[in-house]
């Protein structure tokens, strides 16, 4: 059982549509694969998805598959694995002030990634014998959800970040004054919790 008084990371919750990129061993007969990278070993394939299905150029979700296809070479820099994020901007949910087709993919894992033009830094680990790890720069075509707080968990800090977001607006889209809320990731429990600025007491389907 995880201890409550441990570190957490609070990030802005962006109101778009859930999206993901999966990079793994290439499967030649899989029509959902949108990109191939040939390596010294076996080739790698790239798949992109929404919350509950794989996407293709013919069966897309707000143009995410098309965007990923056009940025395949950069996105392979993410490396093997399943990379989750939010696809947001013009024409998607809150729009965030964008009206001319501007859309962005923001990676959720802000504990691993920083944006391509930001400095990397050492990741804290309470185990002194563990190998030191550092954050990684995301591909230039990607954003990372904004980190609002990184430190010891406390409901006071959670409420403070909600209040700051309400007063100052979105950090993902500066000047946009209707941000959705926050995500609190409790590191010891490896679990995230979301809080929205409006109707947080209601199930998502009723908001």
């Amino acid at each position: 059982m995880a201890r409550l008084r441990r570190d957490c990371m609070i990030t802005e919750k962006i109101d778009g549509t859930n999206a993901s990129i999966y990079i793994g061993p290439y499967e030649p007969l899989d029509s959902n694969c949108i990109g191939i990278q040939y390596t010294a070993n076996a080739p790698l394939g790239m798949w992109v998805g929404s919350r509950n299905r794989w996407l293709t150029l013919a069966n897309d979700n707000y143009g995410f598959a098309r965007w990923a296809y056009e940025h395949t070479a950069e996105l392979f820099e993410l490396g093997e694995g399943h990379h989750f994020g939010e696809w947001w901007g013009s024409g998607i949910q809150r729009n965030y002030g964008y009206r001319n087709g501007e859309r962005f993919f923001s990676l959720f894992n802000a504990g691993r990634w920083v944006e391509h033009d930001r400095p990397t830094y050492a990741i804290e680990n309470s185990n002194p014998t563990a190998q030191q790890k550092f954050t990684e720069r995301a591909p230039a075509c990607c954003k990372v959800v904004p980190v609002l707080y990184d430190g010891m968990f406390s409901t006071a800090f959670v409420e403070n970040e909600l209040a700051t977001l309400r007063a100052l607006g979105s950090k993902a889209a500066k000047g946009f004054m209707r941000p959705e809320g926050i995500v609190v990731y409790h590191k010891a429990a490896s679990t995230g919790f979301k809080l929205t600025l409006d109707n947080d007491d209601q199930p998502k389907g009723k908001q």
Side-chain angles (χ1 to χ4, degrees):
M1 182 177 292
R3 293 183 180 272
L4 184 60
R5 291 194 180 93
R6 292 295 184 269
D7 283 349
C8 74
M9 177 177 284
I10 302 177
T11 57
E12 181 177 351
K13 185 179 188 304
I14 302 174
D15 189 15
T17 184
N18 191 270
S20 67
I21 296 168
Y22 177 73
I23 298 173
Y26 173 56
E27 299 178 13
L29 300 180
D30 190 336
S31 61
N32 291 326
C33 180
I34 69 164
I36 308 170
Q37 182 186 64
Y38 293 96
T39 69
N41 300 313
L44 296 174
M46 180 184 296
W47 292 259
V48 298
S50 62
R51 183 179 299 277
N52 51 22
R53 65 183 175 91
W54 293 118
L55 305 175
T56 65
L57 298 180
N59 189 18
D60 209 341
N61 184 40
Y62 292 104
F64 181 65
R66 169 62 62 181
W67 173 85
Y69 177 77
E70 293 172 352
H71 294 86
T72 299
E74 291 174 88
L75 291 172
F76 269 114
E77 297 172 14
L78 291 168
E80 290 191 62
H82 210 155
H83 308 282
F84 295 90
E86 196 81 357
W87 179 237
W88 60 282
S90 177
I92 308 175
Q93 303 295 357
R94 294 176 190 239
N95 296 293
Y96 286 84
Y98 295 103
R99 294 290 187 272
N100 299 310
E102 311 96 321
R103 292 175 180 170
F104 312 97
F105 179 57
S106 292
L107 291 160
F108 288 148
N109 192 351
R112 174 180 177 182
W113 301 105
V114 296
E115 294 187 3
H116 74 284
D117 56 352
R118 305 287 179 83
T120 60
Y121 57 89
I123 299 173
E124 292 186 14
N125 192 321
S126 58
N127 181 358
T129 65
Q131 182 179 358
Q132 181 66 67
K133 292 185 177 180
F134 295 83
T135 54
E136 303 171 56
R137 287 191 177 92
C141 60
C142 296
K143 292 181 176 291
V144 181
V145 292
V147 176
L148 308 178
Y149 169 81
D150 190 0
M152 186 65 70
F153 172 81
S154 166
T155 55
F157 291 130
V158 172
E159 293 298 334
N160 180 69
E161 294 306 330
L162 274 175
T164 300
L165 203 62
R166 186 187 300 277
L168 302 181
S170 170
K171 288 194 69 174
K174 296 187 185 303
F176 183 75
M177 297 306 296
R178 290 195 309 108
E180 184 181 19
I182 62 174
V183 173
V184 182
Y185 179 74
H186 193 283
K187 297 181 183 181
S190 299
T191 302
F193 304 88
K194 64 182 179 181
L195 293 94
T196 55
L197 288 168
D198 299 316
N199 304 315
D200 187 63
D201 58 333
Q202 298 180 15
K204 182 174 181 178
K206 293 184 178 180
Q207 292 180 10

